[in-house]
Amino acid sequence: MSTPEKKIIAVVGATGNQGSSVAKTFLSLPEWHVRALTRDPTSSSAKSLGSLGAEVVAADLDTPSTLTSAFAGAHTIFATTDFFALTKYPNAASLVKDKYGGVPMNQACYKHELSQGKNIIDATAQALANEGKLEVFILSTLSHARKWSGGKIQHLLHFDVKAEIEGYLKGSYSELAGKTRYLMVGFYMGNIYFPFLSPKKEEGGQGEEYVFRWPPVKPETVLPATDPPRDVGVFVRELVKAPAGTVLLGESDPVTVQGLVELWGQVTGKTARLECMEFEEAVSVIEAGMGGGGWGREMVENMLYYRDYGYEGGNPEIKRPGDLGIKADETTSYRTYLKEQDWTGVL
């Protein structure tokens, strides 16, 4: 009896936080062949995937032709885009000036990610038209902040650009949209390392105390936390089986802001408290800390969105991991994540 042919899953960004998790998860499933797409197949992370059995393929999101060939024969495609990718380019400054008209960096990142997202959608639709083999397309997306806030959140570009990519898909390719599932990856547990979110030591009074000095949130604001390098693959594993149109909020261990502060204190054995800045102060502090580029208002509105509308904006179509049969012990708890970290640089 012949061995059944393995199904191909093509993973965009296979060496990144989300894509690496998908690649590793599907490498452990015997019925799947993993095609790992990366800009640099010679990188150590790409070679590591190759040693695990992945087919490593060079593909550049800025060069659509490389995507079309990389998607050939795929049963499933997982696609993610990186809002901050442009900031990592060696020639980022010249690109912002020459290609994007010298706009603030966050606006240039929006334009760049939108272009890459459209390239992925176009190439996926082309692969479907060429062969008709594609059965599942999974798009990593985020909530449309401007829409769900009724226009009150205007500058949350790293959310809205993903929603615009999703809109481009639905408006341009109805057949492909009919094969698409959406993954809204939750609040990265690693965000606690951002300078404006991490605890700072404050001595005096009764002794050492650590302060989480955040933009304006509320203690009860919910963070749908997840650890993408470990957990995104679990979400995608179940999304492949879900009906087309499913929108999954990829959360592993939802926690309130106050709950996170208390949890960090329990794990480190330190006294910790939450302190929230006022809007304009937070914008100024973050803008200066991130070197300008429009990031101050972007990041503060990010927190306002969580606070006033929720991470998913109240979208009634949202499914949660339990709805797809994912058990809590299959993903990472925030306590586990915090325990694994080395806090000597903070303490």
Side-chain angles (χ1 to χ4, degrees):
M1 183 180 293
S2 62
T3 303
E5 185 177 349
K6 290 188 176 185
K7 294 176 288 188
I8 297 172
I9 180 170
V11 182
V12 175
T15 59
N17 283 323
Q18 296 184 29
S20 63
S21 181
V22 176
K24 290 172 184 176
T25 295
F26 279 77
L27 281 167
S28 70
L29 303 176
E31 68 272 27
W32 289 91
H33 171 84
V34 175
R35 183 177 294 158
L37 279 60
T38 177
R39 289 183 69 186
D40 182 9
T42 66
S43 70
S44 59
S45 51
K47 288 180 179 178
S48 177
L49 287 175
S51 70
L52 294 174
E55 174 194 0
V56 180
V57 175
D60 188 339
L61 301 188
D62 295 321
T63 309
S65 60
T66 65
L67 296 172
T68 303
S69 58
F71 290 160
H75 171 282
T76 296
I77 295 172
F78 170 77
T80 183
T81 48
D82 179 4
F83 185 79
F84 298 96
L86 179 61
T87 67
K88 304 165 191 172
Y89 284 25
N91 61 337
S94 61
L95 280 173
V96 171
K97 178 182 177 182
D98 300 334
K99 187 174 181 179
Y100 299 116
V103 298
M105 178 59 83
N106 68 329
Q107 294 181 29
C109 286
Y110 183 102
K111 293 173 182 287
H112 184 252
E113 183 176 4
L114 180 60
S115 173
Q116 290 192 330
K118 287 182 174 181
N119 287 345
I120 292 171
I121 301 301
D122 291 343
T124 303
Q126 187 63 54
L128 176 60
N130 288 347
E131 302 175 325
K133 290 184 177 181
L134 184 71
E135 293 295 331
V136 177
F137 182 51
I138 297 177
L139 181 65
S140 180
T141 188
L142 284 171
S143 172
H144 193 169
R146 187 175 298 217
K147 170 187 172 181
W148 292 109
S149 70
K152 293 180 180 178
I153 300 296
Q154 295 278 333
H155 302 91
L156 188 44
L157 303 187
H158 68 281
F159 270 51
D160 284 352
V161 67
K162 285 183 168 60
E164 186 165 344
I165 292 168
E166 181 181 328
Y168 175 74
L169 161 64
K170 292 176 178 177
S172 303
Y173 301 105
S174 59
E175 185 181 3
L176 178 58
K179 296 178 178 291
T180 303
R181 290 83 167 150
Y182 305 90
L183 176 61
M184 189 181 295
V185 178
F187 179 87
Y188 282 34
M189 291 179 181
N191 285 347
I192 196 172
Y193 282 108
F194 274 121
F196 61 90
L197 298 180
S198 61
K200 305 292 190 300
K201 186 175 180 180
E202 186 173 278
E203 298 186 29
Q206 299 300 312
E208 288 187 357
E209 188 172 45
Y210 290 81
V211 180
F212 285 76
R213 197 159 183 262
W214 278 34
V217 291
K218 294 178 181 177
E220 64 270 23
T221 297
V222 176
L223 307 172
T226 190
D227 186 26
R230 284 188 285 199
D231 299 342
V232 167
V234 177
F235 302 142
V236 173
R237 183 195 71 199
E238 298 307 317
L239 264 178
V240 166
K241 310 169 193 174
T246 298
V247 184
L248 176 65
L249 175 59
E251 60 179 8
S252 305
D253 187 15
V255 63
T256 65
V257 174
Q258 182 62 36
L260 174 56
V261 172
E262 293 174 1
L263 187 58
W264 184 86
Q266 293 167 13
V267 167
T268 60
K270 302 297 182 181
T271 300
R273 64 181 173 86
L274 173 66
E275 180 181 294
C276 294
M277 293 179 278
E278 295 296 329
F279 181 88
E280 292 300 339
E281 179 191 8
V283 170
S284 178
V285 167
I286 296 171
E287 186 75 6
M290 296 186 71
W295 298 115
R297 189 165 296 272
E298 168 110 14
M299 296 305 171
V300 174
E301 287 203 5
N302 195 170
M303 292 298 161
L304 290 180
Y305 188 60
Y306 296 173
R307 184 192 75 184
D308 296 340
Y309 305 98
Y311 192 91
E312 71 278 16
N315 183 347
E317 297 181 359
I318 291 291
K319 302 292 184 184
R320 286 177 160 75
D323 297 324
L324 272 61
I326 298 171
K327 297 179 176 62
D329 62 4
E330 293 186 88
T331 54
T332 309
S333 74
Y334 221 144
R335 180 180 294 275
T336 295
Y337 177 87
L338 294 175
K339 282 183 174 180
E340 293 172 343
Q341 307 308 302
D342 180 2
W343 296 107
T344 54
V346 174
L347 304 178

